[in-house]
Amino acid sequence: MAITRLSTIVVTLMVAVAAWGAGDDTETPKGITLTADEQALVAGNNGFAFRLFQQARSQTESVVLSPLSITFALGMMNNGAAADSQTCREICQVLGFGEAGAGAINAFCHKMLTESGTLDELTKVLIANNIYVNSYLGYRLMPAFTDKVVQNYEAVPETRDFTDGETLNVINKWASDHTEGMIEEALHPDEFDPMTISCLLNALYFKGEWTHKFDAQLTQEEPFNDFKTTVQMMQQESEFYYADNDVFQSIILPYGNKAYQMNVYLPHEGKDIDDVLEFLKGNSWTAKNYGDRQVVIKLPRFEVTTDMRLESVMAELGMPTAFTDGSAFTQFCETQDGIPHPVFIGLMKQVAKIKLDEEGTEASAVTVIEAKETAVMDPVKFIANRPFLYIISEQSTGAIFFIGQYMGERVTSDIVPVRHHAAGDMRGCYDLQGRPASNSSKGLLFRQGQKLMR
């Protein structure tokens, strides 16, 4: 995980469902209209954002993640799971959608995909999805799955031979192209598996200019984290929405026409980020307890990159089944003959990056899911061509009604002599207890119903 040093502030970047002002007379920004059910979905997904961050954050280093990008990637993948399966239920629960199901995730993602970029001409928001399918393995996406991801995620699946030596470069170029060059390597060479059935990607890009920009001439080097290091500290004085409580101070920094904003939470002395996260659990982070205040603000100019594997994080959050052979992604792909072939998530990761300076904020994330081939076990061979034991029992109690062994057909004719067997091939020979004979075996032996003596 490539990360920088810990900042004592938590930065949360989210779509402003109800935009709070920054102390001037700018008209109310355009927003995304949500039904009551959709508002509940947003609240649930925001809950996932906090749980994810608590699970994934480092205690000593800076981290940036995009919960929304993960939601898009898993939302696509969830369409490949059987609707009534444990896999689908776990994904829906972890993402905060409860019993709403995969269809609700699809609708939520589609609304965010189509409307997020239309709210502010000064703020650029790009969301893109793609799926690469490995033609080398001879599988294809199921038509129903393809229809859902095309309709809801505007993904256009592409077929490639993953063993061609170029597919990794194609995937990384797609990631770079859809994050304005911020993320040039979504997958490292040691993470790309040419035997992967499919690779699903989501890219999310954000670039917003501060409504109140910082004057770069006022930025200067100042100590940070009890003089443990120094940072380039930006500063300004203006009217902002501000809140204060026993745990933290908070300020809202709007972008452009205020359709988007950054909430910054600064723990009080004696408190830490864990205390802030505990306070902000659930929906309390959106509580409108901010008021207009003249604020002198100092904020570091920083750049943070996080490169994080997410399998264990997401499993700990409550969706372990998706990463095992027991997953139920049975609606994802099929053979060329139309036979469904189950898969599981073999790799899930996110690369995220944020740059914050006097002009504004640029942030991006790429989430990658590799769908791996579920192991199909060879058929077991049970060829009863040697002595065996058998039991007849009652299944509910386990009471044994009969127990026996079969040694082969009994030889009833007296004209079959007992043959002397001195040495040689002992294959197919058994003693009176039904054990395979060896060259050291002595006494009466049986082979294909005939008696042998050694």
Side-chain angles (χ1 to χ4, degrees), residues 289-316:
N289 56 347
Y290 289 75
D292 284 326
R293 291 289 300 272
Q294 192 74 14
V295 180
V296 174
I297 177 175
K298 290 188 176 184
L299 189 67
R301 184 176 66 200
F302 64 84
E303 181 176 325
V304 172
T305 299
T306 299
D307 188 330
M308 183 178 292
R309 293 287 292 265
L310 294 170
E311 298 96 336
S312 61
V313 171
M314 301 304 294
E316 287 291 331

Side-chain angles (χ1 to χ4, degrees), residues 364-378:
S364 61
V366 174
T367 302
V368 183
I369 292 177
E370 287 187 359
K372 299 291 183 72
E373 187 173 7
T374 299
V376 179
M377 299 181 67
D378 293 333

Side-chain angles (χ1 to χ4, degrees), residues 416-433:
V416 179
V418 175
R419 294 166 42 195
H420 181 75
H421 190 86
D425 188 0
M426 301 299 293
R427 289 179 297 180
C429 295
Y430 299 89
D431 62 19
L432 290 173
Q433 285 74 44

Side-chain angles (χ1 to χ4, degrees), residues 220-238:
Q220 58 187 8
E221 186 174 354
E222 293 191 12
F224 185 79
N225 198 15
D226 294 330
F227 294 87
K228 294 178 183 177
T229 185
T230 59
V231 297
Q232 290 297 313
M233 192 71 78
M234 308 182 299
Q235 55 185 304
Q236 67 166 289
E237 179 177 350
S238 189

Side-chain angles (χ1 to χ4, degrees), residues 160-215:
R160 291 191 59 88
D161 181 351
F162 283 23
T163 67
D164 62 3
E166 290 297 324
T167 297
L168 176 60
N169 294 332
V170 170
I171 290 172
N172 284 331
K173 185 178 186 304
W174 183 92
S176 178
D177 289 346
H178 290 85
T179 59
E180 302 292 304
M182 286 192 77
I183 296 176
E184 297 182 345
E185 190 175 60
L187 274 179
H188 307 308
D190 61 343
E191 294 173 327
F192 176 71
D193 182 0
M195 293 296 106
T196 293
I197 285 182
S198 182
C199 187
L200 296 84
L201 300 105
N202 167 268
L204 194 155
Y205 175 80
F206 175 94
K207 186 174 184 179
E209 297 181 3
W210 301 123
T211 305
H212 303 289
K213 295 181 181 180
F214 292 82
D215 185 348

Side-chain angles (χ1 to χ4, degrees), residues 74 77 319 322-323 329 343-348 369-372:
L74 277 179
M77 189 69 197
M319 50 168 286
F323 303 102
F329 293 113
V343 301
F344 70 99
I345 298 177
L347 175 146
M348 182 175 179
I369 292 177
E370 287 187 359
K372 299 291 183 72

Side-chain angles (χ1 to χ4, degrees), residues 24 34 78 104 113 128 166 168 179 209 233 285 315 332 384 429 446:
D24 58 26
L34 299 175
N78 204 24
L113 173 69
E166 290 297 324
L168 176 60
T179 59
E209 297 181 3
M233 192 71 78
W285 83 277
F332 182 75
C429 295
F446 294 88

